[in-house]
Amino acid sequence: MLKLEDSYSHKGQRKALVKTLENKGIMDKKVLNAIGTIPRHFFFDSALHSHAYDDKAFPIGEGQTISQPFTVAFQTELLNVQPGDKVLEIGTGSGYQAAILYLLGAEVHSIEYNKKLYQRTKKFLPKIGININFYQGDGSLGLPEQAPFDKIIVTAGAPVVPNSLLKQLKIGGILVIPVGDRKTQKMMKFIKKTAKQVSQESYSNFAFVPLLGKEGWE
Ligand code: SAM
């Protein structure tokens, strides 16, 4: 059993983080509740625990980051997850975003490019009671063997919207993806209205690590 403590102080810091996110415009109570429930410090090296409830991205090794809580909340709110939704996450990273999706009742399929992060997070999440499906590979191509999905969330910055991802959405499905250059991306939401018709909305700017792979930056 993993020895991780969720103290009063951590819970208090989490409450304060939820308030911060509300003040920044996050309104979905289920999303706020999930952020208020998952101990974000579990996803940090113990030396960095004191930073776990700052509204900031942090390094998780391998040149990658755990996304800023506001970003996680913003993307999750746009995704409008319903219990039972089959959700594909691209960029497992620390597993924090996947844990939030799991808590919202989704059947989560998460793919990570980096082998070490994949192995680490695959071992870690079940230890804290989060049960999702892990894959290692190039998520810019989606996950054809598990398609179609109700929702797809991309947690790395893409140069263009990968066609494979739109193909792997169900009719009525939602894709949330940051699209732009290597430094700044616009958050985009696509809804697949029919097999041929997709609506799109764009939101504010974010700064993600790059989406690698065939339909990413490589
Ligand atoms: N969702 C993560 C979390 O909650 O910690 C944060 C993800 S981090 C900002 C972006 C992740 O995307 C990195 O772990 C990176 O290795 C991964 N990544 C980049 N390109 C990818 C690709 N083509 N397929 C799958 N994962 C990819």
Side-chain angles (χ1 to χ4, degrees), residues 16-30:
L17 173 62
V18 167
K19 263 262 147 306
T20 302
L21 298 180
E22 270 184 307
N23 291 339
K24 288 185 176 179
I26 303 298
M27 285 183 297
D28 187 324
K29 293 284 178 221
K30 284 190 275 181

Side-chain angles (χ1 to χ4, degrees), residues 61-64 111-119 136-137:
E62 302 298 309
Q64 301 303 330
I111 179 163
E112 172 57 52
Y113 209 30
N114 182 289
K115 278 201 180 111
K116 280 194 184 153
L117 284 179
Y118 157 76
Q119 279 159 354
Q136 196 270 319

Side-chain angles (χ1 to χ4, degrees), residues 84-99:
D85 270 359
K86 187 171 185 180
V87 178
L88 172 63
E89 179 197 24
I90 293 152
T92 315
S94 70
Y96 179 72
Q97 171 75 72

Side-chain angles (χ1 to χ4, degrees), residues 43 52 62-63 65 72 85 99 101 117 145-146 167 191-192 202:
F43 297 77
E62 302 298 309
T65 52
V72 173
D85 270 359
L101 296 169
L117 284 179
E145 68 265 33
Q146 285 292 342
K167 265 195 207 142
I191 304 176
K192 190 162 173 176
S202 71

Side-chain angles (χ1 to χ4, degrees), residues 16 38 56 66 70 86 90-91 138 160 174 187 218:
I38 300 280
K56 285 184 183 154
I66 177 170
F70 175 72
K86 187 171 185 180
I90 293 152
D138 178 6
V160 291
I174 298 176
M187 193 62 73
E218 254 171 25

Side-chain angles (χ1 to χ4, degrees), residues 176-189:
V176 173
I177 179 170
V179 184
D181 59 31
R182 273 182 174 265
K183 280 199 175 143
T184 316
Q185 306 88 28
K186 211 162 251 321
M187 193 62 73
M188 310 277 299
K189 172 172 172 169

Side-chain angles (χ1 to χ4, degrees), residues 7-206:
S7 68
Y8 269 124
S9 160
H10 293 128
K11 288 184 177 120
Q13 290 177 61
R14 215 148 56 232
K15 254 192 178 163
L17 173 62
V18 167
K19 263 262 147 306
T20 302
L21 298 180
E22 270 184 307
N23 291 339
K24 288 185 176 179
I26 303 298
M27 285 183 297
D28 187 324
K29 293 284 178 221
K30 284 190 275 181
V31 173
L32 291 167
N33 179 55
I35 298 223
T37 304
I38 300 280
R40 191 169 183 256
H41 63 285
F42 285 4
F43 297 77
F44 279 58
D45 212 76
S46 55
L48 292 172
H49 273 187
S50 61
H51 296 291
Y53 296 101
D54 296 348
D55 189 21
K56 285 184 183 154
F58 258 92
I60 53 170
E62 302 298 309
Q64 301 303 330
T65 52
I66 177 170
S67 300
Q68 181 182 348
F70 175 72
T71 305
V72 173
F74 193 83
Q75 285 197 282
T76 311
E77 190 167 73
L78 288 181
L79 209 59
N80 191 23
V81 178
Q82 301 302 315
D85 270 359
K86 187 171 185 180
V87 178
L88 172 63
E89 179 197 24
I90 293 152
T92 315
S94 70
Y96 179 72
Q97 171 75 72
I100 298 287
L101 296 169
Y102 175 78
L103 213 68
L104 291 171
E107 174 192 314
V108 184
H109 298 261
S110 186
I111 179 163
E112 172 57 52
Y113 209 30
N114 182 289
K115 278 201 180 111
K116 280 194 184 153
L117 284 179
Y118 157 76
Q119 279 159 354
R120 192 168 92 194
T121 303
K122 187 179 178 196
K123 235 173 148 183
F124 165 68
L125 279 190
K127 288 186 184 163
I128 59 165
I130 308 291
N131 296 309
I132 68 153
N133 305 283
F134 296 93
Y135 306 84
Q136 196 270 319
D138 178 6
S140 75
L141 301 173
L143 192 60
E145 68 265 33
Q146 285 292 342
F149 298 96
D150 295 291
K151 312 280 161 68
I152 301 179
I153 176 171
V154 182
T155 68
V160 291
V161 184
N163 254 327
S164 312
L165 301 188
L166 289 172
K167 265 195 207 142
Q168 290 171 34
L169 268 186
K170 289 184 189 171
I171 305 295
I174 298 176
L175 164 66
V176 173
I177 179 170
V179 184
D181 59 31
R182 273 182 174 265
K183 280 199 175 143
T184 316
Q185 306 88 28
K186 211 162 251 321
M187 193 62 73
M188 310 277 299
K189 172 172 172 169
F190 296 87
I191 304 176
K192 190 162 173 176
K193 300 281 188 189
T194 66
K196 285 189 179 155
Q197 195 201 353
V198 177
S199 75
Q200 80 177 58
E201 294 161 13
S202 71
Y203 296 87
S204 46
N205 285 338
F206 289 81

